[in-house]
């Protein structure tokens, strides 16, 4: 399927690994110019080299090194790239902690990194998109925003807020060709998730067995009964970022392996 992304410019935050990298790679494969983001230039350079070796198109790849949770870095990004056609807010953090050990700082840090960081970019780029009457903004949220894990309450709350933020911003696009949606992945393989499993289940175990154990204990309602691969999430995001998804706006679109039992 031709997603009609040739000539579109996309910014994917936190895109040198995991879901963000898979999304950036898919958008680039579909013909978009992609701005990669990571904390270091080395990671960006490595990602550009990998993409180019696989599918060419180096002229459609650039990067921005910076921690977008820092306002000064976000403002520097906006100055360097004042307009984009597609914004994929993938940057985010997560951790697990018993309820009795939670502090105000756990909530404020999670909210800032997972909600405020994306809102700064979304508000800026949304105004530019509406002025041109075309654009796509996507928040990579989580099924945890609809199914708050008891051991990840600040994370789940921040993802619920992210879903609400996307819907609220979408309300301001009525009658335009700009859309704002959120995407809800379930457990998905990545470097960060591997580290998370090591913390939760202990280091040194068989990775496949650890994933099965996590799904059985923490996400037993999963219909696929496994972790997804980032490449299984990316095509959905690429579609929603495309002109073909013009009638999908203000939605929370699920790619969580069926673990949410509600039909809506």
């Amino acid at each position: 399927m031709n997603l009609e992304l040739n000539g579109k410019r996309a910014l994917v935050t936190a895109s040198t690994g995991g879901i963000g990298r898979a999304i950036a790679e898919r958008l680039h494969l579909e013909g978009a110019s992609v701005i990669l983001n990571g904390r270091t230039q080395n990671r960006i350079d490595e990602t550009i080299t990998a993409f180019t070796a696989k599918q060419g198109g180096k002229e459609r790849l650039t990067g921005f090194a910076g921690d977008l949770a820092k306002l000064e870095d976000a403002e520097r990004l906006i100055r360097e790239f004042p307009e984009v056609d597609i914004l994929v807010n993938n940057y985010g953090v997560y951790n697990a902690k018993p309820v009795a050990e939670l502090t105000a700082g756990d909530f404020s840090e999670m909210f800032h990194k997972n909600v405020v960081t994306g809102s700064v970019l979304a508000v800026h780029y949304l105004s530019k998109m509406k002025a041109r009457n075309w654009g796509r903004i996507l928040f990579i949220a989580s099924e945890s925003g609809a199914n708050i894990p008891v051991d990840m309450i600040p994370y789940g709350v921040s993802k619920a807020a992210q879903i609400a933020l996307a819907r609220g911003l979408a309300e301001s696009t009525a009658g335009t060709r700009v859309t704002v949606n959120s995407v809800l992945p379930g457990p998905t393989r990545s470097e960060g998730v591997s580290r998370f499993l090591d913390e939760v289940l202990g280091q040194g175990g068989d990775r496949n067995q650890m994933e099965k154990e996590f799904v059985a204990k923490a996400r037993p309602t999963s219909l696929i009964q496994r972790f997804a691969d980032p490449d299984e999430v990316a095509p959905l995001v690429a579609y929603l970022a495309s002109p073909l998804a013009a009638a999908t706006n203000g939605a929370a679109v699920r790619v969580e392996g069926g673990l949410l039992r509600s039909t809506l």
Side-chain angles (χ1 to χ4, degrees), residues 95-99 148-154 196 200 214 218-219:
N95 60 25
K97 200 170 186 181
V99 173
I148 312 290
V150 70
D151 60 340
M152 299 175 69
I153 293 175
F196 173 76
V200 173
F214 179 85
R219 301 293 188 275

Side-chain angles (χ1 to χ4, degrees), residues 130-259:
K130 290 200 290 188
R132 297 193 311 275
N133 199 30
W134 199 92
R136 299 285 184 265
I137 295 178
L138 291 153
F139 288 84
I140 307 305
S142 170
E143 52 81 20
S144 293
N147 182 35
I148 312 290
V150 70
D151 60 340
M152 299 175 69
I153 293 175
Y155 174 74
V157 168
S158 73
K159 289 299 176 177
Q162 205 174 48
I163 296 166
L165 171 61
R167 177 67 203 193
L169 293 174
E171 292 288 337
S172 76
T173 69
T176 74
R177 296 169 63 205
V178 179
T179 67
V180 186
N181 295 290
S182 55
V183 175
L184 282 58
T188 306
R189 294 185 190 94
S190 68
E191 295 173 9
V193 168
S194 293
R195 290 192 295 270
F196 173 76
L197 287 177
D198 286 339
E199 293 172 3
V200 173
L201 300 178
Q203 296 183 354
D206 175 78
R207 183 62 53 199
N208 290 332
Q209 185 58 39
M210 291 174 72
E211 290 181 4
K212 289 180 181 179
E213 183 181 342
F214 179 85
V215 170
K217 290 183 177 180
R219 301 293 188 275
T221 56
S222 169
L223 297 181
I224 63 173
Q225 286 291 298
R226 61 175 176 82
F227 276 45
D229 188 86
D231 288 333
E232 295 175 305
V233 177
L236 174 62
V237 179
Y239 165 72
L240 293 171
S242 77
L244 278 62
T248 304
N249 196 9
V253 185
R254 292 155 47 168
V255 58
E256 36 52 274
L259 66 85

Side-chain angles (χ1 to χ4, degrees), residues 2-172:
N2 178 7
L3 295 184
E4 301 176 10
L5 287 171
N6 287 328
K8 301 298 186 186
R9 190 184 212 189
L11 166 62
V12 185
T13 65
S15 48
T16 59
I19 292 176
R21 178 174 174 140
I23 292 168
E25 184 173 4
R26 173 59 64 170
L27 291 173
H28 180 247
L29 179 64
E30 295 289 344
S33 297
V34 179
I35 303 163
L36 300 164
N37 163 242
R39 287 190 176 88
T40 69
Q41 190 62 47
N42 282 344
R43 288 279 288 180
I44 291 170
D45 292 343
E46 290 170 1
T47 304
I48 289 175
T49 298
F51 283 13
T52 302
K54 185 183 293 187
Q55 57 203 35
K58 187 174 183 179
E59 72 281 356
R60 293 185 287 108
L61 292 167
T62 187
F64 177 84
D67 181 354
L68 298 179
K70 298 176 180 177
L71 183 57
E72 60 268 27
D73 282 3
E75 290 175 339
R76 182 165 56 88
L77 170 63
I78 288 169
R79 287 195 300 270
E80 190 168 337
F81 302 101
E83 295 193 30
V84 298
D85 300 298
I86 299 160
L87 168 65
V88 181
N89 270 318
N90 175 66
Y91 177 90
V93 298
Y94 48 87
N95 60 25
K97 200 170 186 181
V99 173
E101 297 178 14
L102 292 174
T103 67
D106 293 320
F107 286 92
S108 61
E109 179 184 11
M110 197 70 66
F111 191 86
H112 174 76
K113 291 184 174 179
N114 288 354
V115 183
V116 176
T117 296
S119 72
V120 170
L121 299 180
V123 168
H124 169 80
Y125 289 116
L126 181 60
S127 65
K128 303 289 187 180
M129 292 174 181
K130 290 200 290 188
R132 297 193 311 275
N133 199 30
W134 199 92
R136 299 285 184 265
I137 295 178
L138 291 153
F139 288 84
I140 307 305
S142 170
E143 52 81 20
S144 293
N147 182 35
I148 312 290
V150 70
D151 60 340
M152 299 175 69
I153 293 175
Y155 174 74
V157 168
S158 73
K159 289 299 176 177
Q162 205 174 48
I163 296 166
L165 171 61
R167 177 67 203 193
L169 293 174
E171 292 288 337
S172 76

